[in-house]
Amino acid sequence: MLASHPLRKSLLTSLLWERKGWKGLVLLIGLVGTLLGLSAPFFQKSFIDGLLAGAASTERSLLIRDLIFGFIASFGAVSMSQLAIWLAAREAVFSLKSISDAMYSRLLSVRGGLVGKAPSGEAVSLFTVDASGSIQILEQSLPMSSSLLFPLLLAPYVLQQGYGIPYSQSLLALGVLLLINLTLAIRQSRFFYHFKQLAQERTGRVNEWIQNIRTLRILGWTTQTEEKILQVRRRETANRLAMVTNGQIMNAISGSSPTFLNLLAVGFWIQGRESTATPGEILSLVWLVNVFLTKPLRQFPWILVMGMDASSSMRRLDQAFKKEFQPSRVLHPSPVTPFVGAVPSPGEPALEIRGLELMLEQRPALKSIHLRLYPRECVAIVGEVGSGKSLLLQSLLGETAATFLSFKLDGQETRGPVDPSVKQRFAYVPQEGFTMSASLRENVLFTYRAESNGDAEVLRSLHLSQFDPASEGLVAGLESEIGERGVNLSGGQRQRIGLARAHYAQKPIVLLDDPLSAVDVETEKKLLETLLRGAWRDRPRLLVTHRMSILPHCDRVLFMEDGRIRMEGTYEELLKNDSFRAFVQTAAQEATGEITALPAEEAIAGAGAPLSTGVDEAPA
């Protein structure tokens, strides 16, 4: 399958190698169709000359034979051509699915997706333009090439054997026309390549503009951003005009080639003849030239353009596939039985990680992380921005290239998050509070076209997450439509919907990446009471937070610094450490706006102020 494409040299190699027997059959059918088609003119010539000679001198049965065989040959040639086109289209569908599956797999597994730091619109362009563009090599170029290559090679030979036209003269005439068409086709393919490049750039800029339109308007950057889009559009227009002009020249040359080839063929033939040509000979010669030389010459430049266009798409996809990525994995010396769940022993950690390491851009991001999370335990992770807190959660979920010496769940060794059954053990709430463009019910259930028979549980999860649809202004209740990216919701509302989704999922382990950063003080207290220390009290919880007010309510606190867990213990125990106390004092100063240092004995009280303004965010 093409999902393993990166193991091959190129996407083209993978496309041709996959189901190669069927692709060979397309070429074989093209060859059979060409041979049938080349035989048809000779039956036509015999039939017409015999018919004009009169029934007295020609057996009527021979005329009928020539007519039937000529029809069978012509019909067979057309049928073979259509069969080759159908088979190629069928293979293109298989290949498109394989490419899409491989792209989807890479999009999920590679940090930064398919395009790294480029706008997400460029990944959309890869899916919508380049994936379908790359299969033109199968859908169009493969069947058309078989109907072009074989006639161009065999027709000159038939002209030499049947009409005495030298093979070298036919090839010379064809070579001149092919060279002209090749030059124009290469030029046209460059225009197509730039067309897709510019379309991808424009799609990325427009996507970025749409996603940030409100912020751009507030900051007064709308005009500058739109001007960038217009600049790309102007370059697209100039490229398109040049592409259309070149295409018209190609059409003009291919349109005049029948007359040119007919004159050459008849001239070469008459020059070498001593007897008068018969009507059947003239008709069959014109048939050969027009069907088996002129038609391929007309198709040749466009086949090249489509092939080169497909090649440019494949090059861009190859670049995306070449992004190196090593999935999270456990460095275990022996094979591990796939995790199927286990009953934890008393006192056994629900999650135990040893030797977690992560390199990002050739620099250590996480170093020698050892972590234990016990049942019914709420553990907070704090530290300065960039200390590795969110990376730690992402690594546990397999979203980084982290390695583990050991990854245990309920005391059982596992293959880590590379095993889907392991990933399914975790509920995850991100800081940004992701929402879909769907109803409130579908956002909590995290599925489209959700049934309403489970609404009681959905409402319970929302209630525990302090989200009442009526009081939040969603008059349609669970049927209320949430705009794309939660555009009609505040940051705090999006976070609470994320919490409700995690509660409804009922996963054994809960990972929380600063999910209370946008809620007010009162809502934070209620969430601690109803959810973090309430409905989830029987589950292990790992909470990344910048809200110091939460720490006294946690069983343990991990303090991270420079990608390491520098210390751990209860909140009160850690406050005895100068480094941790300085961190808390700084957090308290940022929350209260006071510059003076807090006395050590006031640190706990000062930490009670959350790192927010105390007001729920305005809709973003």
Side-chain angles (χ1 to χ4, degrees), residues 257-563:
S257 60
T259 303
F260 176 72
L261 285 175
N262 279 322
L263 290 175
L264 280 179
V266 172
F268 286 144
W269 180 47
I270 293 176
Q271 182 182 12
R273 282 186 63 85
E274 297 180 356
S275 58
T276 304
T278 65
E281 289 176 325
I282 294 174
L283 179 62
S284 61
L285 176 61
V286 172
W287 174 277
L288 277 170
V289 172
N290 280 279
V291 174
F292 291 96
L293 291 181
T294 300
K295 182 182 176 182
L297 282 174
R298 282 179 173 176
Q299 293 177 337
F300 176 73
W302 294 109
I303 291 176
L304 283 176
V305 169
M306 285 186 290
M308 294 177 183
D309 185 37
S311 176
S312 66
S313 290
M314 286 188 282
R315 283 202 304 273
R316 269 198 296 274
L317 289 173
D318 276 330
Q319 291 172 0
F321 280 124
K322 285 178 181 176
K323 286 174 64 70
E324 293 185 1
F325 177 73
Q326 179 66 47
S328 298
R329 63 197 190 281
V330 175
L331 303 176
H332 203 271
S334 59
V336 178
T337 304
F339 179 75
V340 293
V343 178
S345 302
E348 190 80 55
L351 172 67
E352 183 177 5
I353 303 298
R354 291 183 57 254
L356 192 163
E357 301 274 354
L358 175 64
M359 299 288 292
L360 288 181
E361 298 179 354
Q362 299 182 339
R363 294 186 302 105
L366 296 176
K367 314 164 191 174
S368 301
I369 299 290
H370 303 289
L371 171 66
R372 287 184 177 183
L373 185 62
Y374 289 88
R376 303 175 60 89
E377 185 180 38
C378 181
V379 175
I381 306 177
V382 296
E384 300 289 351
V385 174
S387 59
K389 304 181 298 297
S390 295
L391 277 177
L392 174 55
L393 294 193
Q394 292 169 15
S395 297
L396 296 178
L397 294 166
E399 293 302 309
T400 70
T403 60
F404 306 86
L405 289 179
S406 176
F407 195 114
K408 290 183 178 182
L409 288 173
D410 296 333
Q412 182 179 348
E413 189 68 67
T414 76
R415 293 165 48 232
V418 70
D419 187 339
S421 66
V422 170
K423 294 187 71 169
Q424 288 301 312
R425 301 278 293 177
F426 296 99
Y428 174 66
V429 183
Q431 179 179 358
E432 62 271 17
F434 172 77
T435 54
M436 307 183 296
S437 181
S439 69
L440 178 58
R441 177 190 298 109
E442 290 167 327
N443 268 280
V444 175
L445 296 175
F446 213 44
T447 182
Y448 292 107
R449 295 183 293 276
E451 299 292 337
S452 59
N453 50 15
D455 282 359
E457 285 300 314
V458 172
L459 288 170
R460 179 171 178 268
S461 295
L462 286 168
H463 174 72
L464 291 171
S465 303
Q466 303 304 308
F467 192 101
D468 177 30
S471 61
E472 300 291 344
L474 303 181
V475 295
L478 295 181
E479 298 290 344
S480 301
E481 289 294 320
I482 307 298
E484 185 176 7
R485 300 175 65 240
V487 68
N488 300 321
L489 302 177
S490 71
Q493 287 174 317
R494 291 196 298 270
Q495 286 184 335
R496 282 177 279 147
I497 290 176
L499 288 167
R501 181 186 300 137
H503 176 268
Y504 185 87
Q506 297 291 315
K507 299 296 179 67
I509 301 175
V510 183
L511 304 181
L512 306 162
D513 191 357
D514 207 9
L516 306 181
S517 60
V519 303
D520 57 54
V521 176
E522 286 304 313
T523 304
E524 175 191 304
K525 291 179 180 178
K526 292 177 181 177
L527 286 169
L528 282 170
E529 179 183 347
T530 62
L531 199 58
L532 268 74
R533 303 290 293 181
W536 280 337
R537 63 181 177 275
D538 293 330
R539 302 183 195 187
R541 290 137 287 162
L542 192 59
L543 168 67
V544 169
T545 184
H546 290 92
R547 307 286 288 262
M548 299 296 105
S549 55
I550 297 175
L551 301 187
H553 304 281
C554 296
D555 299 299
R556 275 190 299 136
V557 177
L558 308 181
F559 180 55
M560 290 193 68
E561 190 176 59
D562 192 27

Side-chain angles (χ1 to χ4, degrees), residues 103 107 112-130 196-212 316 484:
M103 291 175 66
L107 188 65
L114 284 167
V115 290
K117 298 179 181 179
S120 59
E122 295 192 16
V124 174
S125 180
L126 286 175
F127 268 102
T128 57
V129 177
D130 292 308
K196 287 192 288 188
Q197 269 192 326
L198 292 168
Q200 178 173 311
E201 183 179 350
R202 174 172 50 82
T203 302
R205 291 187 182 279
V206 169
N207 188 66
E208 189 176 36
W209 173 71
I210 291 173
Q211 289 184 346
N212 300 283
R316 269 198 296 274
E484 185 176 7

Side-chain angles (χ1 to χ4, degrees), residues 97-175:
K97 182 181 184 304
S98 294
I99 292 172
S100 299
D101 288 345
M103 291 175 66
Y104 179 69
S105 175
R106 297 287 290 181
L107 188 65
L108 289 180
S109 62
V110 178
R111 187 173 178 82
L114 284 167
V115 290
K117 298 179 181 179
S120 59
E122 295 192 16
V124 174
S125 180
L126 286 175
F127 268 102
T128 57
V129 177
D130 292 308
S132 57
S134 62
I135 64 165
Q136 287 188 73
I137 200 78
L138 300 177
E139 188 174 24
Q140 299 290 339
S141 298
L142 181 62
M144 292 177 71
S145 296
S146 65
S147 64
L148 177 151
L149 178 64
F150 297 127
L152 288 179
L153 292 176
L154 297 177
Y157 176 77
V158 173
L159 289 174
Q160 176 175 288
Q161 297 299 315
Y163 297 93
I165 299 175
Y167 192 77
S168 58
Q169 292 179 352
S170 298
L171 289 182
L172 178 62
L174 291 173

